[in-house]
Amino acid sequence: MSLTPKLTGRTNQLYPKKPGTTDGVSILIVDDSPVRLQTIAFVLQDMGYKQIQMAANGLEAIERIEQGPTVHIIFTDLQMPECDGLELIEHLGQRQYDGSIIIHSQMEKRIVDLTIELARRQSLYLVGYLDQNLEPTVIQSMVDRALLAARNYNASDLASLSKEMILRAIENKNIVPYFQPKIDNKTECVVGFEVLCRLVHPISKEIITPDRFIDAAERAGLMMLLTLALLEKAALEFNLLCEEFPDLPLTLSINLSPGQLDDDKLPSTFNDLCQIFQLPPTRITLEITETDLIEKDTRLKNLARLRMMGFGCSLDDYGMGFTSLAQLEHYPFSEVKLDRSYINNIASDPYAQQLCDKLVDKCTANHMQMVAEGLERADDVEYLSRYHNIHLQGYLYSPPKPYTDIRRWLHNWEAHRSINP
Ligand code: C2E
Ligand code: CA
Ligand code: CA
């Protein structure tokens, strides 16, 4: 019996998604079939996208892209006269196109898979494929994913905090850990929390989310200070939760910025901190985003050292970077988190299903824990129930919450679990 619908009281999306931005998004559809061009354009227009261009083959597409303005997403067919989808992709690779690509094609799956692999090798963001299924919900989740991945699209119009503001918040202990639970999909047992950083604005006292300060803190070289301030509070509160729920195998996941892994002292610093805060390293997982994990020797060495000390290391946002499944087994990760853009709507997204299948196999074969993050919908949880022992995280269970609220949430969760073991 599943806890999810009872606890949430709803079977579908609990929290509204951030309003999807359609303004300013520029999309190019490439196809030699006027009917398919029009059909896709019509679905996108219906979703609110206004800047839509069309091209009948790869050559026309290249012209459009070169003429500007910036194209954020390209939907392309593979089989076209004059310049086909493969040539278009090759050209985009040569000019280091930093938008996103979605394939729509009725070609045999092996050809589509090969195209996906070619795009990955050229560091292109190919984020999905559509077959005959032009369901608006499937297209919507692909466009959402495409916008998240597109490096040439900046959705954030929020003002970043200044270096001084961030420093002031650190000095005044205005850094607050928010905890989001992770749940085992078979036992429905809470297995741990990811700690997400929040900052209390020094003047207005509003709670500020990371999109307004992590980049700025990275640029200003403040990430280690910020992580320390966060860990100090999070360790205390996490230990309280462990004392109160001694039967739960709780772990604490902490995000690291990739630059932090360049520091050779990072493993020993973390080891010392864990002793000071009385946290066994085996209970700590360090999350690092896939998009930034370039094959730098120092980073990999430090990851390996952290693992030797007993820390867990998690590859975050998998699917948004260029790590192939084959490369995964050469990295010292104990966990992989499939990005939420694949998880949201996975129940009806064949591309995401295929990636998830392969990732679960890879994780099982290499003793890595697989985490599905960003779960908002009960039908996606239902879909994921086919896998054994994966961990689930998302608003459907709980958004990140401060200590007092997450403690209350955990009491409720455990109370329901003991009624429906
Ligand atoms: P992330 O590590 O991928 O964390 C997950 C983000 O997705 C969090 O956003 C979380 O609130 C959000 N999320 C969780 N479940 C759902 C869901 O079901 N639907 C949706 N739409 N979103 C969900 P948040 O807290 O705003 O953090 C954003 C990013 O900021 C994090 O992404 C992480 O990369 C970074 N970040 C947060 N705290 C830290 C930190 O202490 N250090 C570093 N280096 N980065 C941090
Ligand atoms: Ca994370
Ligand atoms: Ca993530």
Side-chain angles (χ1 to χ4, degrees):
M1 184 177 295
S2 166
L3 280 174
T4 314
K6 271 189 239 93
L7 280 179
T8 60
R10 297 182 42 177
T11 51
N12 220 320
Q13 205 163 308
L14 241 194
Y15 293 82
K17 281 172 66 173
K18 276 187 190 167
T21 315
T22 53
D23 287 351
V25 177
S26 163
I27 302 177
L28 172 65
I29 314 167
V30 194
D31 200 313
D32 59 326
S33 148
V35 176
R36 274 178 75 86
L37 272 181
Q38 286 301 338
T39 313
I40 297 174
F42 182 73
V43 175
L44 290 167
Q45 275 160 359
D46 221 37
M47 282 157 48
Y49 295 97
K50 296 184 193 78
Q51 294 176 38
I52 299 173
Q53 302 184 66
M54 294 184 230
N57 58 51
L59 277 182
E60 267 186 35
I62 292 162
E63 257 170 49
R64 293 277 152 79
I65 295 162
E66 276 168 2
Q67 277 162 9
T70 307
V71 173
H72 303 114
I73 305 174
I74 301 172
F75 279 81
T76 184
D77 186 12
L78 289 180
Q79 211 176 9
M80 294 176 289
E82 292 193 65
C83 169
D84 63 17
L86 289 174
E87 259 183 277
L88 174 60
I89 283 173
E90 195 182 334
H91 177 85
L92 293 172
Q94 280 161 5
R95 74 189 301 276
Q96 298 177 326
Y97 177 66
D98 53 3
S100 290
I101 304 164
I102 296 169
I103 298 176
H104 58 91
S105 171
Q106 281 146 345
M107 287 304 291
E108 189 190 324
K109 212 178 116 309
R110 274 190 305 164
I111 309 278
V112 175
D113 282 352
L114 175 70
T115 314
I116 293 169
E117 178 56 23
L118 289 176
R120 193 191 61 74
R121 286 192 200 164
Q122 303 201 59
S123 302
L124 288 169
Y125 284 97
L126 201 159
V127 298
Y129 74 81
L130 297 165
D131 40 24
Q132 286 96 331
N133 184 358
L134 296 182
E135 271 285 310
T137 53
V138 175
I139 297 187
Q140 181 71 70
S141 60
M142 257 176 223
V143 171
D144 285 349
R145 179 152 78 229
L147 284 178
L148 274 174
R151 291 290 175 273
N152 62 3
Y153 177 73
N154 183 8
S156 173
D157 54 359
L158 294 165
S160 281
L161 295 195
S162 65
K163 179 179 177 180
E164 290 67 36
M165 285 274 203
I166 300 170
L167 261 177
R168 227 165 108 189
I170 295 173
E171 278 161 14
N172 297 342
K173 303 213 177 288
N174 277 337
I175 304 295
V176 187
Y178 270 45
F179 299 88
Q180 190 178 32
K182 281 193 293 183
I183 287 140
D184 183 288
N185 75 325
K186 286 294 167 207
T187 60
E188 297 200 314
C189 184
V190 177
V191 289
F193 296 95
E194 175 175 1
V195 56
L196 293 146
C197 192
R198 299 290 183 266
L199 191 147
V200 186
H201 194 282
I203 299 158
S204 70
K205 302 292 173 212
E206 68 179 307
I207 295 287
I208 299 175
T209 46
D211 47 350
R212 288 184 60 192
F213 62 84
I214 292 286
D215 281 355
E218 282 174 354
R219 281 194 303 271
L222 293 177
M223 275 320 293
M224 205 52 212
L225 271 183
L226 195 72
T227 307
L228 262 177
L230 182 71
L231 187 62
E232 192 179 353
K233 281 195 190 169
L236 191 86
E237 297 175 343
F238 175 69
N239 280 335
L240 290 175
L241 289 171
C242 291
E243 273 167 32
E244 202 170 344
F245 298 90
D247 296 335
L248 294 179
L250 298 178
T251 58
L252 185 68
S253 296
I254 301 159
N255 291 285
L256 286 185
S257 294
Q260 291 179 268
L261 273 178
D262 290 335
D263 180 359
D264 258 338
K265 289 193 233 53
L266 181 96
S268 54
T269 309
F270 255 87
N271 210 23
D272 295 348
L273 286 174
C274 281
Q275 284 200 352
I276 296 168
F277 299 140
Q278 296 179 322
L279 293 169
T282 46
R283 286 210 174 211
I284 304 297
T285 295
L286 301 166
E287 297 193 2
I288 167 124
T289 48
E290 194 222 345
T291 36
D292 300 296
L293 190 89
I294 28 177
E295 286 196 52
K296 266 200 179 178
D297 285 352
T298 338
R299 291 184 185 177
L300 291 177
K301 242 188 321 190
N302 282 334
L303 277 177
R305 281 198 192 114
L306 286 162
R307 294 280 291 123
M308 288 190 272
M309 289 168 166
F311 291 97
C313 291
S314 175
L315 184 58
D316 204 354
D317 301 343
Y318 186 74
M320 299 307 272
F322 305 115
T323 314
S324 69
L325 285 161
Q327 278 168 311
L328 262 185
E329 58 197 76
H330 302 301
Y331 291 148
F333 289 104
S334 51
E335 181 185 276
V336 182
K337 297 180 90 166
L338 183 53
D339 189 72
R340 75 179 145 92
S341 59
Y342 292 89
I343 293 302
N344 186 27
N345 216 9
I346 191 167
S348 44
D349 181 344
Y351 180 77
Q353 290 172 3
Q354 196 191 342
L355 180 66
C356 188
D357 251 1
K358 289 185 183 161
L359 185 59
V360 170
D361 283 350
K362 198 56 152 185
C363 285
T364 311
N366 291 281
H367 311 289
M368 293 185 285
Q369 180 62 52
M370 141 88 184
V371 183
E373 65 173 351
L375 275 161
E376 297 183 5
R377 303 155 52 103
D379 55 351
D380 293 333
V381 173
E382 172 73 34
Y383 176 82
L384 294 170
S385 68
R386 70 190 53 220
Y387 304 117
H388 294 283
N389 182 242
I390 65 169
H391 291 167
L392 311 175
Q393 184 183 349
Y395 290 173
L396 185 68
Y397 299 102
S398 167
K401 291 173 190 258
Y403 168 70
T404 327
D405 298 348
I406 207 68
R407 178 178 171 266
R408 196 178 315 123
W409 176 91
L410 189 52
H411 271 287
N412 282 339
W413 183 270
E414 285 301 294
H416 280 81
R417 225 164 59 87
S418 59
I419 298 169
N420 303 303

